[in-house]
Amino acid sequence: MSAPGPDWAAIAPGWDPAARTRQDDEAAEAELAAIGRTAGRVAGGGIRAAVLGVNDGLVTNLCFILGIAGASVDAATVRLSGLASLVAGALSMAAGEWVSVRGQREVAQGMEASLQDAWRHSPPVVMAHLARSLRERGLDPVTAVRATRGVVSAGRTARQTSLRILFGVGAEDAGSPAVAAASSLLLFALGALVPLVPWFVTEGTAAVAASAAVTALASLAVGAALGLGSGRSAVRTAVRQLLIVAAASAVTYALGTVAGDAVL
């Protein structure tokens, strides 16, 4: 008796094997290639660091600038303070990302070394855990045992593959500390520069309004890009991003105004 075929209704609802075309196959190949490129950027830490960096730059420096401006400080002071905030924030973000990603890689490497100790103590125990983990992911017992033997026979990659199957992590998943740090530094600086630019061409209420306006536009662009990249509504993510920036900015400007009045 031959084994039953795949349950296409569960895997791909609406797909008709009889209607399969070359164009459909090519579309699927293109989708998988695009996902692979995105996965590479995610694994490298670049996307997370980039999004975090540009968003933090926009919010942090706009709030900082508006807080100072709310205290009725002259434009020259706002410019100098904004530049100092940009440099300090960018370096802090880069350092934090490097330490975080590097630490994550080192923890994963330690787990890999501990798993190797378990292999040395009793390979059958580790293999039993591997087979159970594969069964929990949907494989039948026979296939799970075969897959486990295949992992063991993989040679040099057996440790990394075993760690990923058993615990869902790998040393390479953390990405590159250098990529994360560089992305975070550059994009924080870019984001922080946006609300500062108007203060080099105007001052006072006009500069405050211009800072808020250009930051709002930049926030909408970042939110829309995130929405498009994740397959979600670009409008929804753009509005969400704008509301976050607007709320933080309003609170900071109000606190700066109160503080300025109290000092004066």
Side-chain angles (χ1 to χ4, degrees):
M1 180 181 295
S2 60
D7 184 1
W8 297 119
I11 299 172
W15 183 68
D16 181 6
R20 178 182 179 184
T21 65
R22 176 180 295 181
Q23 288 75 17
D24 290 335
D25 290 350
E26 291 174 351
E29 290 284 359
E31 290 285 356
L32 292 172
I35 295 170
R37 291 191 294 270
T38 301
R41 293 194 297 270
V42 171
I47 288 181
R48 182 184 63 84
V51 171
L52 184 62
V54 71
N55 188 63
D56 273 11
L58 286 169
V59 175
T60 300
N61 225 28
L62 178 64
C63 290
F64 187 78
I65 289 169
L66 294 186
I68 295 174
S72 301
V73 178
D74 63 275
T77 302
V78 173
R79 288 194 294 269
L80 179 60
S81 300
L83 285 172
S85 173
L86 184 156
V87 173
L91 292 175
S92 176
M93 286 287 293
E97 283 292 329
W98 193 92
V99 171
S100 174
V101 175
R102 183 65 185 176
Q104 188 175 344
R105 286 178 65 90
E106 289 174 349
V107 169
Q109 288 167 352
M111 293 173 64
E112 192 175 293
S114 296
L115 180 58
Q116 182 61 21
D117 290 339
W119 276 113
R120 282 197 294 266
H121 287 306
S122 179
V125 169
V126 180
M127 290 181 67
H129 278 266
L130 282 170
R132 183 175 66 187
S133 180
L134 291 170
R135 290 197 304 271
E136 290 173 351
R137 298 186 184 200
L139 296 184
D140 63 80
V142 174
T143 304
V145 170
R146 289 176 179 172
T148 299
R149 291 172 179 168
V151 170
V152 174
S153 65
R156 290 181 299 175
T157 63
R159 281 192 308 178
Q160 295 90 333
T161 306
S162 300
L163 185 66
R164 190 178 300 282
I165 292 173
L166 288 170
F167 306 106
V169 298
E172 68 278 10
D173 292 340
S176 165
V179 169
S183 298
S184 186
L185 185 149
L186 293 175
L187 287 166
F188 181 97
L190 179 61
L193 185 61
V194 170
L196 185 59
V197 168
W199 290 90
F200 288 94
V201 295
T202 186
E203 59 184 41
T205 303
V208 170
S211 286
V214 295
T215 303
L217 291 174
S219 298
L220 287 171
V222 170
L226 286 174
L228 292 172
S230 62
R232 299 180 179 180
S233 168
V235 173
R236 184 175 180 179
T237 53
V239 172
R240 180 186 64 188
Q241 190 78 8
L242 177 61
L243 291 176
I244 292 172
V245 174
S249 303
V251 170
T252 308
Y253 186 73
L255 290 174
T257 301
V258 171
D261 292 340
V263 171
L264 295 175

